[in-house]
mmCIF file of all heavy atoms in Angstrom:
data_model
loop_
_atom_site.group_PDB
_atom_site.id
_atom_site.type_symbol
_atom_site.label_atom_id
_atom_site.label_comp_id
_atom_site.label_asym_id
_atom_site.label_seq_id
_atom_site.Cartn_x
_atom_site.Cartn_y
_atom_site.Cartn_z
ATOM 1 N N TRP A 43 -60.433 15.358 181.249
ATOM 2 C CA TRP A 43 -59.005 15.577 181.488
ATOM 3 C C TRP A 43 -58.359 16.222 180.278
ATOM 4 O O TRP A 43 -57.404 16.980 180.405
ATOM 5 C CB TRP A 43 -58.317 14.253 181.821
ATOM 6 C CG TRP A 43 -58.768 13.696 183.116
ATOM 7 C CD1 TRP A 43 -59.654 12.672 183.306
ATOM 8 C CD2 TRP A 43 -58.419 14.152 184.417
ATOM 9 N NE1 TRP A 43 -59.873 12.462 184.643
ATOM 10 C CE2 TRP A 43 -59.113 13.366 185.355
ATOM 11 C CE3 TRP A 43 -57.590 15.153 184.893
ATOM 12 C CZ2 TRP A 43 -58.998 13.535 186.720
ATOM 13 C CZ3 TRP A 43 -57.475 15.327 186.257
ATOM 14 C CH2 TRP A 43 -58.166 14.520 187.146
ATOM 15 N N ARG A 44 -58.877 15.940 179.113
ATOM 16 C CA ARG A 44 -58.348 16.498 177.867
ATOM 17 C C ARG A 44 -58.520 18.016 177.831
ATOM 18 O O ARG A 44 -57.603 18.745 177.460
ATOM 19 C CB ARG A 44 -59.079 15.848 176.687
ATOM 20 C CG ARG A 44 -58.662 16.341 175.342
ATOM 21 C CD ARG A 44 -59.455 15.667 174.259
ATOM 22 N NE ARG A 44 -60.849 16.123 174.327
ATOM 23 C CZ ARG A 44 -61.860 15.534 173.726
ATOM 24 N NH1 ARG A 44 -61.669 14.430 173.051
ATOM 25 N NH2 ARG A 44 -63.073 16.008 173.818
ATOM 26 N N ASP A 45 -59.711 18.500 178.226
ATOM 27 C CA ASP A 45 -60.003 19.930 178.190
ATOM 28 C C ASP A 45 -59.820 20.605 179.549
ATOM 29 O O ASP A 45 -59.931 21.822 179.650
ATOM 30 C CB ASP A 45 -61.442 20.156 177.718
ATOM 31 C CG ASP A 45 -61.683 19.581 176.337
ATOM 32 O OD1 ASP A 45 -60.733 19.546 175.536
ATOM 33 O OD2 ASP A 45 -62.825 19.164 176.062
ATOM 34 N N SER A 46 -59.584 19.831 180.589
ATOM 35 C CA SER A 46 -59.441 20.327 181.963
ATOM 36 C C SER A 46 -60.630 21.156 182.405
ATOM 37 O O SER A 46 -60.486 22.256 182.943
ATOM 38 C CB SER A 46 -58.152 21.137 182.109
ATOM 39 O OG SER A 46 -57.038 20.337 181.864
ATOM 40 N N LYS A 47 -61.836 20.631 182.150
ATOM 41 C CA LYS A 47 -63.035 21.330 182.609
ATOM 42 C C LYS A 47 -64.169 20.348 182.844
ATOM 43 O O LYS A 47 -64.166 19.231 182.337
ATOM 44 C CB LYS A 47 -63.451 22.416 181.625
ATOM 45 C CG LYS A 47 -63.820 21.926 180.251
ATOM 46 C CD LYS A 47 -64.167 23.114 179.366
ATOM 47 C CE LYS A 47 -64.482 22.669 177.964
ATOM 48 N NZ LYS A 47 -64.824 23.782 177.102
ATOM 49 N N LEU A 48 -65.143 20.807 183.621
ATOM 50 C CA LEU A 48 -66.335 20.035 183.936
ATOM 51 C C LEU A 48 -67.373 20.286 182.849
ATOM 52 O O LEU A 48 -67.672 21.433 182.530
ATOM 53 C CB LEU A 48 -66.873 20.448 185.303
ATOM 54 C CG LEU A 48 -67.954 19.587 185.913
ATOM 55 C CD1 LEU A 48 -67.422 18.191 186.205
ATOM 56 C CD2 LEU A 48 -68.453 20.217 187.192
ATOM 57 N N ILE A 49 -67.933 19.225 182.297
ATOM 58 C CA ILE A 49 -68.872 19.348 181.190
ATOM 59 C C ILE A 49 -70.240 18.847 181.637
ATOM 60 O O ILE A 49 -70.381 17.715 182.099
ATOM 61 C CB ILE A 49 -68.368 18.572 179.965
ATOM 62 C CG1 ILE A 49 -67.055 19.192 179.535
ATOM 63 C CG2 ILE A 49 -69.395 18.582 178.850
ATOM 64 C CD1 ILE A 49 -66.316 18.490 178.494
ATOM 65 N N TYR A 50 -71.229 19.719 181.491
ATOM 66 C CA TYR A 50 -72.612 19.432 181.853
ATOM 67 C C TYR A 50 -73.233 18.551 180.775
ATOM 68 O O TYR A 50 -73.153 18.848 179.591
ATOM 69 C CB TYR A 50 -73.363 20.763 181.981
ATOM 70 C CG TYR A 50 -74.844 20.644 182.105
ATOM 71 C CD1 TYR A 50 -75.427 20.263 183.304
ATOM 72 C CD2 TYR A 50 -75.672 20.915 181.029
ATOM 73 C CE1 TYR A 50 -76.799 20.171 183.429
ATOM 74 C CE2 TYR A 50 -77.045 20.823 181.140
ATOM 75 C CZ TYR A 50 -77.594 20.450 182.328
ATOM 76 O OH TYR A 50 -78.949 20.352 182.448
ATOM 77 N N LEU A 51 -73.898 17.451 181.185
ATOM 78 C CA LEU A 51 -74.482 16.514 180.228
ATOM 79 C C LEU A 51 -76.003 16.568 180.178
ATOM 80 O O LEU A 51 -76.589 16.116 179.210
ATOM 81 C CB LEU A 51 -74.046 15.082 180.564
ATOM 82 C CG LEU A 51 -72.541 14.840 180.514
ATOM 83 C CD1 LEU A 51 -72.221 13.458 181.044
ATOM 84 C CD2 LEU A 51 -72.018 15.029 179.115
ATOM 85 N N GLY A 52 -76.647 17.056 181.214
ATOM 86 C CA GLY A 52 -78.100 17.151 181.189
ATOM 87 C C GLY A 52 -78.731 16.776 182.518
ATOM 88 O O GLY A 52 -78.054 16.367 183.458
ATOM 89 N N ILE A 53 -80.057 16.918 182.560
ATOM 90 C CA ILE A 53 -80.839 16.557 183.741
ATOM 91 C C ILE A 53 -81.780 15.429 183.355
ATOM 92 O O ILE A 53 -82.441 15.493 182.314
ATOM 93 C CB ILE A 53 -81.617 17.772 184.274
ATOM 94 C CG1 ILE A 53 -80.622 18.818 184.780
ATOM 95 C CG2 ILE A 53 -82.566 17.363 185.385
ATOM 96 C CD1 ILE A 53 -81.255 20.059 185.330
ATOM 97 N N TYR A 54 -81.841 14.392 184.192
ATOM 98 C CA TYR A 54 -82.620 13.191 183.896
ATOM 99 C C TYR A 54 -83.551 12.864 185.050
ATOM 100 O O TYR A 54 -83.329 13.274 186.183
ATOM 101 C CB TYR A 54 -81.677 12.021 183.615
ATOM 102 C CG TYR A 54 -80.773 12.299 182.443
ATOM 103 C CD1 TYR A 54 -79.485 12.784 182.633
ATOM 104 C CD2 TYR A 54 -81.218 12.127 181.146
ATOM 105 C CE1 TYR A 54 -78.666 13.071 181.556
ATOM 106 C CE2 TYR A 54 -80.409 12.408 180.063
ATOM 107 C CZ TYR A 54 -79.138 12.880 180.286
ATOM 108 O OH TYR A 54 -78.336 13.171 179.214
ATOM 109 N N SER A 55 -84.590 12.095 184.754
ATOM 110 C CA SER A 55 -85.597 11.774 185.764
ATOM 111 C C SER A 55 -85.177 10.652 186.708
ATOM 112 O O SER A 55 -85.692 10.552 187.808
ATOM 113 C CB SER A 55 -86.920 11.407 185.092
ATOM 114 O OG SER A 55 -86.745 10.287 184.251
ATOM 115 N N LYS A 56 -84.247 9.806 186.303
ATOM 116 C CA LYS A 56 -83.808 8.678 187.127
ATOM 117 C C LYS A 56 -82.286 8.710 187.275
ATOM 118 O O LYS A 56 -81.575 9.073 186.352
ATOM 119 C CB LYS A 56 -84.235 7.366 186.497
ATOM 120 C CG LYS A 56 -85.744 7.264 186.322
ATOM 121 C CD LYS A 56 -86.157 5.858 186.056
ATOM 122 C CE LYS A 56 -87.626 5.716 185.851
ATOM 123 N NZ LYS A 56 -88.477 6.426 186.749
#
Side-chain angles (χ1 to χ4, degrees):
W43 293 102
R44 179 181 69 195
D45 301 329
S46 297
K47 62 182 177 180
L48 191 64
I49 298 172
Y50 170 77
L51 299 172
I53 294 180
Y54 300 96
S55 60
K56 301 195 181 316

